Amino acid sequence: MRRLLLWAAVLVSTAACSGGSGKEPAVTAPTSITVTSPVLREGDTIPSKYTCDGKGTSPPLAWTGTPANAKALALVVDDPDAPRGTFTHWVLLDLDSRTSSIAEGTTPPGAKQANNSAGKPSYYGPCPPSGTHHYRFTVYALSKATNLADGAGFDEALEAIDAATIARGRLTALYSR
């Protein structure tokens, strides 16, 4: 029985980390936003604290260059290297357009969390099944709020971001197990 439970846990973990159906929103939007972090550097390794091998806490992020006409912001954290397609680890919607940072392990007041590729409205720390994966932390400036609720459907949230994006910016970091 213990062996069966262990095997089931491995299957669930592998499925959750290995892929999703996410399509990257707004790939042609201007890239005028600069995304930074005190714990992540472009192209460097994500500290394990922010992954499934650590506490799985969301890292602190900051950004500049949000257009003055933005009405809201969104954040998408995804892994385009997942074996079955892009796996989305976090979707934050309708952040106040004046927001310029997110503290570690928090969701800004008023922001909503849509479901990630694992079907949960939360941050899901990087957990690649093999090899080195790229994790994209993308901030989107939106022309209007999505007005979606916490736990909104994954596809619905990405479509709403895609339809309203006027600018974007990204920080990409790496992780392997």
Side-chain angles (χ1 to χ4, degrees):
M1 181 68 166
R2 179 180 230 180
R3 219 171 170 178
L4 180 61
L5 289 174
L6 179 59
W7 179 244
V10 168
L11 286 176
V12 168
S13 174
T14 302
C17 294
S18 61
S21 62
K23 175 185 147 295
E24 180 182 1
V27 294
T28 60
T31 56
S32 59
I33 299 172
T34 301
V35 182
T36 61
S37 172
V39 299
L40 304 174
R41 302 283 181 260
E42 182 70 31
D44 280 355
T45 300
I46 299 171
S48 64
K49 173 181 182 178
Y50 306 105
T51 73
C52 68
D53 294 319
K55 293 182 180 180
T57 302
S58 61
L61 298 169
W63 52 89
T64 58
T66 301
N69 61 335
K71 303 296 185 213
L73 300 170
L75 169 70
V76 175
V77 179
D78 64 10
D79 170 10
D81 303 319
R84 287 186 241 146
T86 300
F87 186 94
T88 301
H89 290 261
W90 200 19
V91 181
L92 281 180
L93 303 170
D94 298 343
L95 287 80
D96 185 296
S97 63
R98 296 168 294 185
T99 304
S100 60
S101 65
I102 297 175
E104 179 179 300
T106 66
T107 300
K112 307 293 189 287
Q113 295 187 87
N115 287 340
N116 56 31
S117 291
K120 298 186 184 310
S122 62
Y123 175 78
Y124 188 93
C127 194
S130 64
T132 300
H133 288 224
H134 296 77
Y135 293 89
R136 305 181 299 198
F137 295 79
T138 308
V139 174
Y140 297 91
L142 307 178
S143 62
K144 61 183 180 179
T146 67
N147 294 316
L148 297 173
D150 273 326
F154 171 74
D155 289 331
E156 180 183 22
L158 294 185
E159 287 170 14
I161 293 168
D162 190 51
T165 296
I166 56 175
R168 65 191 170 105
R170 171 178 293 159
L171 170 65
T172 303
L174 309 173
Y175 191 67
S176 59
R177 301 178 76 201

